[in-house]
């Protein structure tokens, strides 16, 4: 079969749609739905692991067309999340794919057939969520990614609602993944909560057994668990040359406990400091930027700095610009409140532009993102309906926890 033509320099340096992931990666959700990566709206899966193998989906019609679109500079709807991020700033998951995996370009892209298929599938980037098992139920999450959410939905809304969902009912998916261990450059573990997931430990132990400890391990964790069954995660991590730990922290204290229900802030803060002081861990905070923390974003970061959880020499801390659910996006903050939040955030940026320019840049991107649209009028009813419903179930109080957002009760736009 004829090999497709391409321009390497253009694709890596100038293209606005090219991404490395469709040549070396598949993302799997706890339901078994398969996507080209995790940066999408999760509405149109490219396949399902309960029906097809990863290799079959990798060369399915959706993936073939996506690769052809990228090589021909044609935008794809599934990639709109990255396009929107790049409207607010230069960084996105697409640009990250090139920074991390351009070394694989000559090995992979030239082997693309003219119909978009690949003769081989080698998973160089692992991101498979085997189940929704989680000990938290975060406000911006849901039952697909949290068994605690599933239990709550069953108790209060639907007696048949599934609690635990699993992408790998027959065990075939785990076995297929284990066959790719020799190819993996980067293994990303998320959830659910990966540190209480059985498959995570099976994969780590197999990596150690096969002497593949040069694989970079990357985590998105709620930082609540160090011990699971017979496993001590800190001892397992010592085997690996690089462990990148991204802890999902959206605020501190009572606000953290409201946003990510299940949080014991004292315990979380203690674990964060434990991680922070281990020289074999590359540490960062991953924060979901939302209507709840925009107003106090600078205060939040100053607190983490005061506790030595964020440091000036940090290579990176991420700020996830949440688009969904739209009623919790910072874009939905009313104009008057958004203006004040913006000024407070800008003041933080100015104060930290020299000491922590990377963090300041992230906040600037967040400000630009929030300013791209004003959607409070269309989202206000849903915001309060959803928030008040969950407050009642969990015996929590939104306004008591976020008094600075009291004016949401009266603002119309």
């Amino acid at each position: 079969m004829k090999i497709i033509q391409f321009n390497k320099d253009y694709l890596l340096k100038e293209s606005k749609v090219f991404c490395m992931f469709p040549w070396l990666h598949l993302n799997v959700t706890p339901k078994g739905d398969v996507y080209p990566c995790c940066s999408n709206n999760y509405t149109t899966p490219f396949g399902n692991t309960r029906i097809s193998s990863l290799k079959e989906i990798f060369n399915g019609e959706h993936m073939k067309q996506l690769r052809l679109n990228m090589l021909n500079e044609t935008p794809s709807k599934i990639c709109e999340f990255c396009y929107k991020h790049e409207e607010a700033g230069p960084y996105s998951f697409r640009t990250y794919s090139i920074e991390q995996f351009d070394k694989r370009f000559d090995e992979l892209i030239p082997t693309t057939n003219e119909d978009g298929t690949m003769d081989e599938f080698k998973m160089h980037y692992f991101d498979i969520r085997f189940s929704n098992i989680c000990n938290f139920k975060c406000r911006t999450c849901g039952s697909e990614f949290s068994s605690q959410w599933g239990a709550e939905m069953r108790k209060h809304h639907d007696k048949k609602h599934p609690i635990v969902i699993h992408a790998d009912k027959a065990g075939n998916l785990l076995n297929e993944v284990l066959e790719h261990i020799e190819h993996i450059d980067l293994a990303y573990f998320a959830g659910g909560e990966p540190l209480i997931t059985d498959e995570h430990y099976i994969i780590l132990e197999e990596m150690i057994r096969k002497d593949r400890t040069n694989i970079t391990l990357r985590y998105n964790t709620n930082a609540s668990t160090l011990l699971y069954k017979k496993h001590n995660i800190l001892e397992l991590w010592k085997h690996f040359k690089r462990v990148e730990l991204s802890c999902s922290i959206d605020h501190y204290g009572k606000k953290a406990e409201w946003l990510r229900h299940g949080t014991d802030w004292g315990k979380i803060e203690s674990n964060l400091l434990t991680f922070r002081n281990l020289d074999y861990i590359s540490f960062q905070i991953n924060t979901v930027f939302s209507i709840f923390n925009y107003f106090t974003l600078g205060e939040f970061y100053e607190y983490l700095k005061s506790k030595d959880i964020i440091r000036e020499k940090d290579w990176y801390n991420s700020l996830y610009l949440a688009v969904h659910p739209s009623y919790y996006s910072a874009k939905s903050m009313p104009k008057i409140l958004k203006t004040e939040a913006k000024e407070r955030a800008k003041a933080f940026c100015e104060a930290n532009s020299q000491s922590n320019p990377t963090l300041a840049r992230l906040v600037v991107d967040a400000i630009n993102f929030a300013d791209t649209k004003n959607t409070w009028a269309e989202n206000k009813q849903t915001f309060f309906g959803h928030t008040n419903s969950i407050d009642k179930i969990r015996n929590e109080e939104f306004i008591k926890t976020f008094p600075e957002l009291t004016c949401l009760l009266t603002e119309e736009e």
Side-chain angles (χ1 to χ4, degrees):
M1 185 177 290
K2 185 179 179 181
I3 302 300
I4 198 164
Q5 300 298 307
F6 61 88
N7 183 321
K8 178 180 177 179
D9 285 342
Y10 178 83
L11 292 176
L12 291 179
K13 299 176 182 178
E14 299 182 46
S15 172
K16 300 299 182 183
V17 301
F18 177 75
C19 174
M20 285 295 300
F21 287 139
W23 280 265
L24 51 83
H25 166 65
L26 288 172
N27 167 249
V28 180
T29 75
K31 291 194 302 184
D33 288 337
V34 181
Y35 297 89
C37 77
C38 65
S39 289
N40 63 84
N41 58 13
Y42 286 115
T43 57
T44 309
F46 283 13
N48 189 282
T49 56
R50 297 177 180 180
I51 301 170
S52 308
S53 69
L54 291 177
K55 187 174 182 179
E56 290 169 335
I57 297 168
F58 184 71
N59 273 325
E61 291 302 319
H62 292 294
M63 287 297 293
K64 290 192 297 183
Q65 188 59 54
L66 181 61
R67 285 191 282 265
L68 292 177
N69 285 352
M70 289 184 175
L71 293 176
N72 289 285
E73 198 64 11
T74 303
S76 300
K77 187 174 180 59
I78 194 75
C79 301
E80 286 181 349
F81 187 85
C82 281
Y83 304 154
K84 290 178 180 178
H85 264 245
E86 291 172 33
E87 289 175 3
Y91 299 97
S92 71
F93 207 43
R94 182 190 75 83
T95 59
Y96 168 83
S97 79
I98 295 171
E99 291 172 359
Q100 291 292 311
F101 294 101
D102 60 349
K103 63 186 178 183
R104 294 288 183 182
F105 188 98
D106 292 337
E107 169 192 348
L108 297 173
I109 311 306
T111 65
T112 310
N113 297 313
E114 63 181 349
D115 66 349
T117 58
M118 303 286 292
D119 292 337
E120 289 187 285
F121 172 37
K122 294 181 179 180
M123 186 192 301
H124 295 294
Y125 174 40
F126 164 89
D127 179 9
I128 292 176
R129 327 291 173 89
F130 286 94
S131 75
N132 69 334
I133 292 174
C134 189
N135 52 348
F136 282 13
K137 41 188 176 184
C138 306
R139 287 281 175 149
T140 53
C141 193
S143 59
E144 181 176 354
F145 293 96
S146 167
S147 54
Q148 291 296 310
W149 262 98
E152 186 171 271
M153 293 294 290
R154 176 176 290 189
K155 181 177 180 180
H156 296 280
H157 300 288
D158 178 5
K159 293 182 179 180
K160 296 183 179 180
H161 194 91
I163 296 176
V164 175
I165 54 178
H166 209 288
D168 190 19
K169 283 189 173 181
N172 296 328
L173 178 59
L174 178 59
N175 289 333
E176 193 173 1
V177 167
L178 294 177
E179 293 175 358
H180 283 271
I181 283 179
E182 63 183 287
H183 306 303
I184 295 173
D185 298 320
L186 172 61
Y188 176 55
F189 295 99
E193 171 49 42
L195 299 186
I196 58 171
T197 303
D198 289 330
E199 291 87 351
H200 159 252
Y201 293 96
I202 292 172
I203 292 169
L204 285 196
E205 290 181 332
E206 187 67 2
M207 288 175 176
I208 294 169
R209 188 185 72 82
K210 289 187 173 181
D211 195 28
R212 288 289 283 116
T213 53
N214 60 328
I215 294 173
T216 296
L217 304 182
R218 178 169 297 165
Y219 290 84
N220 194 312
T221 173
N222 60 33
S224 66
T225 305
L226 303 183
L227 302 174
Y228 175 70
K229 295 183 178 180
K230 67 175 183 177
H231 307 288
N232 181 325
I233 191 59
L234 300 182
E235 293 301 317
L236 286 170
W237 283 341
K238 288 179 181 178
H239 290 273
F240 292 84
K241 291 183 178 179
R242 185 168 180 83
V243 178
E244 299 176 358
L245 195 59
S246 179
C247 297
S248 298
I249 308 295
D250 299 337
H251 228 299
Y252 67 93
K254 295 298 182 182
K255 287 180 170 63
E257 294 174 348
W258 187 94
L259 282 164
R260 295 184 178 271
H261 186 97
T263 295
D264 175 340
W265 179 251
K267 181 179 179 181
I268 297 298
E269 186 173 292
S270 175
N271 287 346
L272 293 175
L273 290 169
T274 295
F275 296 147
R276 188 75 264 205
N277 292 315
L278 295 174
D279 58 8
Y280 57 89
I281 287 178
S282 176
F283 177 89
Q284 66 165 284
I285 294 293
N286 176 43
T287 299
V288 176
F289 178 62
S290 72
I291 197 171
F292 299 112
N293 58 15
Y294 187 9
F295 194 85
T296 53
L297 193 61
E299 174 189 321
F300 164 62
Y301 282 134
E302 291 295 352
Y303 177 88
L304 296 182
K305 286 169 58 182
S306 73
K307 296 294 183 177
D308 202 36
I309 294 170
I310 283 182
R311 299 172 182 170
E312 290 183 2
K313 64 180 180 179
D314 286 347
W315 70 279
Y316 190 62
N317 285 288
S318 60
L319 193 56
Y320 179 81
L321 308 179
V323 176
H324 302 286
S326 61
Y327 49 86
Y328 284 163
S329 171
K331 294 180 181 182
S332 289
M333 183 174 275
K335 291 180 183 178
I336 293 177
L337 191 60
K338 190 185 289 187
T339 298
E340 187 173 352
K342 178 178 180 178
E343 292 305 311
R344 292 165 63 96
K346 286 174 65 177
F348 170 82
C349 293
E350 292 170 3
N352 288 270
S353 61
Q354 298 299 318
S355 61
N356 201 325
T358 303
L359 190 60
R361 188 196 69 223
L362 286 176
V363 176
V364 169
D365 288 347
I367 292 170
N368 292 337
F369 169 80
D371 279 347
T372 57
K373 203 170 184 181
N374 294 303
T375 60
W376 177 243
E378 63 195 69
N379 282 314
K380 179 178 180 179
Q381 185 175 354
T382 307
F383 174 94
F384 281 113
H386 186 80
T387 303
N388 292 339
S389 173
I390 300 302
D391 268 357
K392 185 176 181 180
I393 289 171
R394 299 179 186 175
N395 193 30
E396 296 175 336
E397 297 181 62
F398 160 61
I399 290 300
K400 185 177 180 180
T401 308
F402 298 89
E404 67 276 9
L405 302 181
T406 301
C407 69
L408 291 180
L409 296 170
T410 56
E411 290 296 327
E412 295 299 326
E413 61 178 33

